[in-house]
Amino acid sequence: MIFGDQLDLDAPLLQRLDPDRDLILMMEVAEESRHVASHIQRTVLFLSAMRHFADTLSARGFQVRYVTLDDPDNSHHFTTEVERVISEVSPNEVLCTWPGEWRIVREVESWSERLGRPVTILPDDHFITSIEAFSAWAKGRRSLMMEFFYRDQRRRTGYLMRGKPPQPEGGTWNFDSENRRSFGAGGPSPPPPHPPAFARDRITREVVATVRRVLPDLPGRLDEGDTFRWPVTRAQALEALEDFIAHRLANFGPYEDAMWTATPFVYHSVLSPALNLKLLNPRECCEAAIRAYERGDAPLQSVEAFVRQLIGWREFVRGIYWLEGPEYAQRNGLGAHGRLPDFYWSGETDMACMRECLSQVIEGAYGHHIQRLMVTGNFALLSGVHPKAVSDWYLGMFADGIDWVTLPNTLGMVMHADRRQDAAAGVTGLVGTKPYSASGKYIERMSNYCDHCRYDPAHRTGPTACPFTVLYWDFLIRHRDQLSANPRMRMMFRSVDAMSTKTKAQLTIDARALRQRLGVEST
């Protein structure tokens, strides 16, 4: 069994197989595009990459049974498809690699009894830190700080370390404080170069036609051009990595938090879809960036930021996902129960920042981390959308959506739903130590979105009051009892406490009316 996010030719599973004896099963099942609404580009990416990978395996002499989306006998569920093939070939054993989602793990774990034969789940060694190693790191710690995990990762890998005993290159562990520049009034100059797009070959064209026919109601858009945005082969993924190193890495660090109209990628790598499908390995990405630094082609602050995303944040949220168990998805620490507004699916809103970021997702299945955290995510947090509704949207609507990475980032980092009591720091989040909430002033500082908007981020009352600003102050008022013990929130609550009772009451009234108008809260 090879799942769609396991397209790794060096996987332990393939090393164990005998091409003359063993059969590889790969399946396109509609359930994977329906259990959450999956963007058409995400679905096409998965299926095209899977078909290309199956062709590569066949060319290497492996026997591959591939079930296509439009196979008339396809039941469109993993378990029933495995049963169908087992009834035909009667294998002695079923093997697979550890899946990327608790939902699939539990399904696979039920197979041994249901299928009447042993099922072996092999570890996924794509990652630098195993599930067991992260659990051992976390055991006994009062709090799980990504920064401390990241430093241990640097020591383990030796990346950007120098001397004896090894010390961080440049004398500091991270350059985050230097990597928060905005573009200023003039915008990026020259405009950042776009990542490469790739010619649609026969396989991708066939996948597009099949998806349009079998799954016609998928959200998002896919144009009819001759190219496809996302790498679907190992060779294309390597080309995308080389393009980032050559053309965007140098400016990535300083501007990683910046946003600008009609500039969706800025200087970001846009490699997460290829990484999450295992077409790229995080080690080779880090080492390519470090070589650029050693050649003098990229500054340390950019290379360190890129390495930190890969060996720090990416591995940390995966560790949290498997450590916390399937119940993690049900957490709702701030008691948010609002619905996700319809404009998350259409992009039709008079908030310029939301219109820009949501339209970008609908058109391209992508948004960089600040757009996700501080615009689309910030709005959901401030307005009180249910965290599972937000998590499901992020999982399905982005090309890099895999549950192990999407859920902790969204439920934990964006929605602050995984709150827990910490003896030293009071009530904090497991993934984020505080809510990443902000008024419209943050968006104004980091982008030009407000230049094209009818709302003023400085106004919190009246017809031109920015919804982000209104909802921000209301969020603090509503959650004062839950959040005021957090030391990182004290400055914000001093501002709340300085407001008059009348001002706070009016903000509460205005915010509720706004949530009702925007469709978050019923009237």
Side-chain angles (χ1 to χ4, degrees), residues 74-114:
N74 189 342
S75 65
H76 293 291
H77 294 276
F78 287 134
T79 297
T80 48
E81 283 307 294
V82 171
E83 287 179 322
R84 181 160 71 97
V85 175
I86 282 178
S87 70
E88 298 175 19
V89 303
S90 190
N92 295 323
E93 183 183 12
V94 176
L95 289 89
C96 69
T97 300
W98 189 265
E101 186 171 351
W102 274 114
R103 176 179 61 93
I104 306 301
V105 169
R106 287 181 291 184
E107 187 172 353
V108 172
E109 288 177 338
S110 74
W111 287 352
S112 183
E113 182 177 352
R114 180 164 177 164

Side-chain angles (χ1 to χ4, degrees), residues 121-437:
I121 306 179
L122 300 175
D124 187 347
D125 71 353
H126 162 88
F127 297 92
I128 293 167
T129 305
S130 69
I131 295 169
E132 295 76 18
F134 185 87
S135 180
W137 175 84
K139 187 176 181 179
R141 291 179 181 265
R142 190 175 61 198
S143 61
L144 305 181
M145 297 288 291
M146 194 284 289
E147 178 65 23
F148 298 145
F149 173 75
Y150 168 59
R151 293 181 186 187
D152 285 346
Q153 292 282 82
R154 290 270 295 274
R155 294 183 185 103
R156 286 181 56 218
T157 60
Y159 292 159
L160 298 175
M161 301 293 288
R162 292 289 184 271
K164 293 184 180 180
Q167 297 296 317
E169 181 80 17
T172 187
W173 288 103
N174 77 64
F175 294 85
D176 204 31
S177 62
E178 299 179 28
N179 288 349
R180 298 169 183 164
R181 293 177 60 183
S182 64
F183 290 121
S189 181
H194 274 213
F198 303 94
R200 296 189 191 185
D201 62 6
R202 174 188 57 82
I203 290 177
T204 300
R205 291 195 300 272
E206 289 174 355
V207 166
V208 170
T210 300
V211 168
R212 291 197 186 282
R213 185 174 67 254
V214 179
L215 298 170
D217 298 325
L218 295 183
R221 299 196 184 106
L222 176 64
D223 63 40
E224 300 295 340
D226 296 327
T227 61
F228 186 58
R229 165 61 58 197
W230 308 109
V232 295
T233 67
R234 167 76 172 156
Q236 289 178 353
L238 288 171
E239 181 182 341
L241 171 61
E242 291 171 4
D243 183 86
F244 167 64
I245 299 296
H247 300 298
R248 296 187 306 286
L249 173 61
N251 287 315
F252 165 68
Y255 298 107
E256 64 177 311
D257 289 0
M259 300 175 284
W260 200 260
T261 301
T263 310
F265 308 111
V266 197
Y267 297 105
H268 288 261
S269 74
V270 202
L271 296 175
S272 52
L275 277 159
N276 291 352
L277 268 60
K278 317 295 171 52
L279 294 174
L280 288 175
N281 187 288
R283 299 167 185 84
E284 68 187 339
C285 295
C286 289
E287 289 160 13
I290 291 168
R291 286 195 297 271
Y293 166 64
E294 291 171 342
R295 293 193 305 266
D297 293 339
L300 179 58
Q301 71 182 96
S302 288
V303 173
E304 184 277 321
F306 181 62
V307 169
R308 177 158 31 100
Q309 285 192 346
L310 288 177
I311 72 170
W313 190 250
R314 184 172 186 262
E315 301 261 335
F316 180 76
V317 296
R318 177 179 183 259
I320 292 291
Y321 180 86
W322 296 112
L323 181 70
E324 292 300 296
E327 296 78 17
Y328 184 75
Q330 307 308 317
R331 295 194 186 177
N332 188 359
L334 292 176
H337 295 284
R339 65 182 293 273
L340 193 71
D342 292 341
F343 54 73
Y344 273 76
W345 305 100
S346 69
E348 296 173 0
T349 172
D350 60 2
M351 293 177 282
C353 59
M354 290 289 282
R355 184 172 62 246
E356 178 74 19
C357 294
L358 290 170
S359 297
Q360 181 179 301
V361 174
I362 293 162
E363 296 290 338
Y366 177 78
H368 69 67
H369 70 271
I370 292 298
Q371 293 173 316
R372 301 190 203 199
L373 178 63
M374 300 308 298
V375 183
T376 55
N378 188 30
F379 178 86
L381 170 69
L382 298 179
S383 60
V385 177
H386 194 289
K388 189 63 166 64
V390 185
S391 296
D392 286 350
W393 182 79
Y394 277 96
L395 174 60
M397 288 298 287
F398 288 83
D400 56 6
I402 309 285
D403 201 49
W404 65 262
V405 66
T406 304
L407 187 65
N409 268 299
T410 306
L411 187 141
M413 189 71 170
V414 171
M415 298 303 293
H416 201 64
D418 60 357
R419 298 167 67 248
R420 67 177 189 175
Q421 184 71 37
D422 180 88
V427 178
T428 69
L430 183 61
V431 172
T433 55
K434 74 174 186 69
Y436 280 83
S437 55

